[in-house]
């Protein structure tokens, strides 16, 4: 049976890639209202594909925002466990467009890589599950999978999953499962398969400071009225202390520190800082004093300025005191940090640091709690076994610094999480020239095929 | 004769406004390369107008950038003094365009105001001289003015006058004069005519900080690599100390402090801070500790952030560590501060405050030295007398916080400067809805008409 799964997947490689390219050609950017029609098209494409795959139940689930896709394929044995697979079909914006070597929505293979926005995050990783279930059925000769498979693929992940918790709560019964499989993360390296066992949460804010009612001539008024860009620089600069810790009062309250044992395990990973810097295309490390780079991105909360603007940003000079200044800041969260409480801390900090004569507005995005797997659960062991069969080598544990709405799945559905994914840090997700490694997508499909079987044996 | 000048100007009001509107319709934005053709059209329009006015010599003076207009009308008496009038025919950019009540290049009268980009700064104030010389000739019945009048109207003032010093030096002989009249400033108020006796200089820099070679996913890399926007916020925040003094080492070296006598005179001006704040449309004053608002804008050097941008500035969120951060900063200078030395101080400060792992670029604009009039000169007394005749009331002294290339005129041509101008602080120069008061432009023309006569009597 082992050979059969792999052989099936190899035989259907071209068909799989052809479907994936069709899907990647749809620019489903959820953060941009101009592309909301495309996000809807993307949902319909996936629904059609899952129907063609054989899922007896396929539905578009509308939200007040953009639709998710739900599919279900019941196990022949009603006593078999139920597995919920989570992914998303929306993608990040593509600017700066001029830095793409090939156009973001014209999927292009170069070597073993497939380039397109969403190739790795997350369409490629959603689609390998469809191939995996077909491979599992082909190998077993059965008409139905050994576990009940549910897929939930949302359309608002890249714009903060604002309606996802609501969707989960409203459909709690139909989504009931024994384990949730998350396929929206990365492995340690192409030759070092690993499973993620925790993710940071996130929340974000757009801060606007308003000064004079119009831009002022800096000759007539400069040096004598508050400058919103100066005030914003002071405010953002004050968000970290000299040890690069976040200086917002209350920010670290309740943080569940990682155990010394876990920090020791992280220290044993074959981490090459120079190689990591090359992947980051950065020239230096930076961060909170007292922590290693991996600890900084996996175990520690952050405040990060994602964008900032104000005043004259065009060609040439313009000697003004600008009327306003704006910044987008996001916060990575760790277990123990409730997004809504962090938002209150940020609001209070911003207001306390707005100088006299300026008006401040804060607009908060959604919040996602951090999450972590139970390392002793049967589901985690089954997933690890499936990946080890596919890759033929030991699978290690990591965490991820990024976040999806995984914590909501764990909280609202009461299901343990396991992460099965094959993205790489160098896939350039969220940046120009995003790609995915095709051989790893096929390993992902193979892992999925074994996963149903391992989970069926493990119970839950 | 007094009545004749005024009557001539009243009789030619509509013709004057019609010409001015024609000129204002040309969008001569020198800071925007897309408008350089319009700057050239503006120069040709002015040259034609001055020829029609009767100037025997009218020339376009090319520079490596945009052209200036030169005109000359010799006095009948070769022993009469020579007066050089300085102004500029280029204008500021117009963004944000949506905030204009009428379009910036469709001049519109509302009440006593004429709205258009450049109405006050500086086309209106250049053009009143042409009306003034015609009124003086009509009143005297002479064929030539009582002093030799030279006009030099440059086309790069709003983009830093980068070629102006060169132009002055190359044409030193033809520009030789006994006094330079500057018409590019403001009066204290419509009912309180005044003369400017000093101006701050300026220089500016665009600072770019480059971090990772591409935008990074802040989940994968956030908190562990230097963020260029964070570094820029730190750098700009550190540009002032807690007393709001500029914290760039060397910045205040050599500053010629204003005398206690001058500070006392400034303290006697009828300054209403609440009214000034209303004019500024600002909700608070701010500035260097130990100085009044007027001292801050007239006597003290500043560092002002004019624009700033980096990362994601569009709709929605984008959780990135941005690859770069940019800021435009300008520095108002006072006597004793050489622009090139200040640029070196800024460069050193920026480099010293760029963290490891970021690359910095600084691009400096032109520099303009501060200047001040000699309060005891005959030329200053003549100009004051001319304005007092036109306005029928005492003319006070002020300074201006803004700057043109006036210091170069004084230095290169060796001529004393006097400022005759009728703009107002509330004209919104450099901002949307720029306007000029038509009655003040006509008083400006009348002042100019008397000025030739007063200067002829004063010698120099």
């Amino acid at each position: 049976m082992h050979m059969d799964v792999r052989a099936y997947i190899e035989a259907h490689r071209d068909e799989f890639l052809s479907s994936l390219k069709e899907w990647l050609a749809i620019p489903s950017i959820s953060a941009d209202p101009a592309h909301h029609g495309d996000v809807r098209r993307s949902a319909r494409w996936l629904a059609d594909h899952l129907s063609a795959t054989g899922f007896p139940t396929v539905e578009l689930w509308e939200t007040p925002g953009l639709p998710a896709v739900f599919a279900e394929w019941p196990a022949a044995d009603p006593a078999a466990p139920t597995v919920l697979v989570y992914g998303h079909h929306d993608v990040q914006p593509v600017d700066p467009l001029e830095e793409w070597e090939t156009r973001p929505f014209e999927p292009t293979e170069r070597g073993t890589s497939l380039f397109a926005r969403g190739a790795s995050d997350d369409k490629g990783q959603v689609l390998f599950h469809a191939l995996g279930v077909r491979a599992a059925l082909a190998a077993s000769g059965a008409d139905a999978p050994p576990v009940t498979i549910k897929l939930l693929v949302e359309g608002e992940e890249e714009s903060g999953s604002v309606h996802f918790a609501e969707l989960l709560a409203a459909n709690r019964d139909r989504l009931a499962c024994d384990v949730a499989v998350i396929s929206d993360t990365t492995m340690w390296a192409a030759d070092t398969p690993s499973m993620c066992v925790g993710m940071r949460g996130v929340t974000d804010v757009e801060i606007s400071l308003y000064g004079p009612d119009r831009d002022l001539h800096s000759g007539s008024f400069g040096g004598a009225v508050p400058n919103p860009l100066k005030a914003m620089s002071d405010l953002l600069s004050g968000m970290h202390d000299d040890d690069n810790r976040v200086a917002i009062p209350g920010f670290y309250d309740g943080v569940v520190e990682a155990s010394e044992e876990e920090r020791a395990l992280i220290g044993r990973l074959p981490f090459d800082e120079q190689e990591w810097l090359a992947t980051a295309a950065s020239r230096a490390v930076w961060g909170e004093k007292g922590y290693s780079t991996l600890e900084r991105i996996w175990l520690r909360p952050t405040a990060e300025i994602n964008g900032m603007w104000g005043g004259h940003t065009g060609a040439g000079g313009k000697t003004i005191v600008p009327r306003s200044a704006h910044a987008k800041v996001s916060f990575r969260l760790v277990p123990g940090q409730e997004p809504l409480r962090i938002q209150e801390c940020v609001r209070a900090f911003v207001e306390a640091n707005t100088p006299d004569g300026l008006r401040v507005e804060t607009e908060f995005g959604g919040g996602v709690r951090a999450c972590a797997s139970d390392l002793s659960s049967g589901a985690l062991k089954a997933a690890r076994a499936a990946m080890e069969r596919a890759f033929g080598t030991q699978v290690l544990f990591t965490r991820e610094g990024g976040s999806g709405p995984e914590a909501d799945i764990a909280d609202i559905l009461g299901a343990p999480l396991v992460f099965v994914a094959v993205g790489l840090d160098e896939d350039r997700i969220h940046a120009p020239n995003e790609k995915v490694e095709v051989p790893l997508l096929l390993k992902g499909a193979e892992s999925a095929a074994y996963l149903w079987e391992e989970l069926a044996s493990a119970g839950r």
Side-chain angles (χ1 to χ4, degrees), chain A:
Chain A
M1 187 159 83
H2 182 127
M3 281 309 297
D4 290 338
V5 162
R6 188 166 294 173
Y8 181 92
I9 288 169
E10 285 301 327
H12 291 77
R13 177 189 183 280
D14 292 351
E15 183 187 330
F16 168 73
L17 281 181
S18 160
S19 294
L20 178 56
K21 287 179 188 176
E22 217 180 274
W23 195 19
L24 289 170
I26 302 173
S28 50
I29 303 169
S30 60
D32 184 352
H35 282 287
H36 285 182
D38 294 317
V39 179
R40 292 175 186 284
R41 272 210 295 144
S42 163
R44 283 193 299 272
W45 185 94
L46 177 62
D48 290 346
H49 185 82
L50 294 175
S51 293
T53 298
F55 279 82
T57 298
V58 178
E59 297 170 13
L60 286 195
W61 282 5
E62 286 296 338
T63 73
L66 295 164
V69 177
F70 173 77
E72 181 171 1
W73 199 332
D77 174 3
T82 297
V83 183
L84 175 70
V85 173
Y86 166 81
H88 61 91
H89 68 89
D90 61 323
V91 301
Q92 277 276 310
V94 296
D95 54 294
L97 189 58
E98 65 276 13
E99 293 184 14
W100 287 77
E101 288 175 30
T102 51
R103 301 181 60 84
F105 299 108
E106 290 174 10
T108 307
E109 283 180 81
R110 290 200 292 278
T112 58
S113 305
L114 174 63
F115 288 83
R117 170 59 84 226
S120 177
D121 179 23
D122 186 37
K123 287 173 177 170
Q125 305 211 54
V126 167
L127 215 61
F128 76 56
H129 283 283
L131 178 58
V133 70
R134 291 286 348 153
L137 293 178
S140 68
D143 290 334
V147 292
T148 292
I149 301 174
K150 297 176 178 178
L151 255 70
L152 181 61
V153 183
E154 71 159 320
E156 300 187 309
E157 201 270 348
E158 300 294 8
S159 52
S161 295
V162 281
H163 304 106
F164 189 65
E166 204 178 309
L167 191 75
L168 289 176
N171 296 282
R172 199 188 308 256
D173 292 346
R174 296 198 64 194
L175 294 169
C177 59
D178 298 296
V179 57
V181 172
I182 313 295
S183 289
D184 185 22
T185 57
T186 60
M187 304 197 311
W188 180 259
D191 59 359
T192 312
S194 66
M195 293 178 67
C196 172
V197 298
M199 300 180 85
R200 289 191 294 191
V202 72
T203 187
D204 67 284
V205 65
E206 183 171 323
I207 305 167
S208 296
L209 290 177
Y210 295 96
D213 286 343
R214 58 175 191 277
D215 290 347
L216 297 176
H217 188 300
S218 77
S220 305
F221 299 101
V225 293
N227 178 323
L229 283 171
K230 156 72 177 156
M232 186 65 89
S233 296
D234 289 347
L235 193 159
L236 295 179
S237 182
M239 237 178 225
H240 292 88
D241 68 14
D242 291 344
D243 290 336
N244 298 332
R245 277 174 68 85
V246 177
I248 297 171
F251 187 77
Y252 292 98
D253 290 358
V255 160
V256 179
E257 303 281 350
S259 64
E260 282 310 309
E261 187 194 341
E262 187 167 358
R263 289 184 67 180
L265 273 171
I266 288 173
R268 284 214 290 276
L269 281 162
F271 178 69
D272 180 329
E273 194 154 84
Q274 289 311 311
E275 199 175 285
W276 182 84
L277 275 175
T279 304
S282 175
R283 284 157 200 82
V285 297
W286 178 95
E288 186 181 349
K289 195 172 166 182
Y291 293 91
S292 72
T293 290
L294 285 182
E295 288 168 345
R296 286 169 176 167
I297 58 175
W298 290 348
L299 304 180
R300 300 303 299 165
T302 67
E304 198 78 50
I305 312 173
N306 307 127
M308 191 167 172
W309 69 100
H312 181 60
T313 59
K318 195 166 177 212
T319 49
I320 54 168
V321 179
R323 60 177 298 180
S324 64
H326 308 270
K328 291 175 193 266
V329 185
S330 60
F331 302 88
R332 295 288 167 182
L333 308 179
V334 299
Q337 289 182 304
E338 275 301 308
L340 288 179
R341 195 188 57 75
I342 294 298
Q343 292 182 1
E344 284 315 308
C345 294
V346 171
R347 191 195 313 276
F349 175 83
V350 168
E351 285 172 3
N353 286 279
T354 298
D356 284 350
L358 297 186
R359 185 169 59 81
V360 65
E361 280 178 14
T362 48
E363 191 181 345
F364 289 91
V368 175
R369 274 186 295 281
C371 65
S373 299
D374 173 359
L375 301 189
S376 64
S377 73
L380 189 104
K381 289 175 181 164
R384 191 181 189 194
M387 284 188 74
E388 291 188 338
R389 281 173 65 190
F391 284 92
T393 185
Q394 192 188 26
V395 167
L396 302 177
F397 292 140
T398 64
R399 283 199 182 198
E400 292 236 347
S403 51
E406 292 80 7
D408 282 334
I409 298 176
D411 285 1
I412 298 172
L413 303 184
L417 306 182
V418 299
F419 296 82
V420 175
V422 297
L424 297 176
D425 281 346
E426 62 262 35
D427 281 350
R428 288 182 291 273
I429 66 172
H430 294 212
N433 301 306
E434 178 178 349
K435 58 92 176 170
V436 74
E437 290 302 303
V438 174
L440 295 184
L441 283 185
L442 301 180
K443 287 289 177 202
E446 197 176 336
S447 302
Y450 303 142
L451 179 61
W452 322 133
E453 190 187 313
E454 293 287 344
L455 285 169
S457 317
R460 67 165 277 180

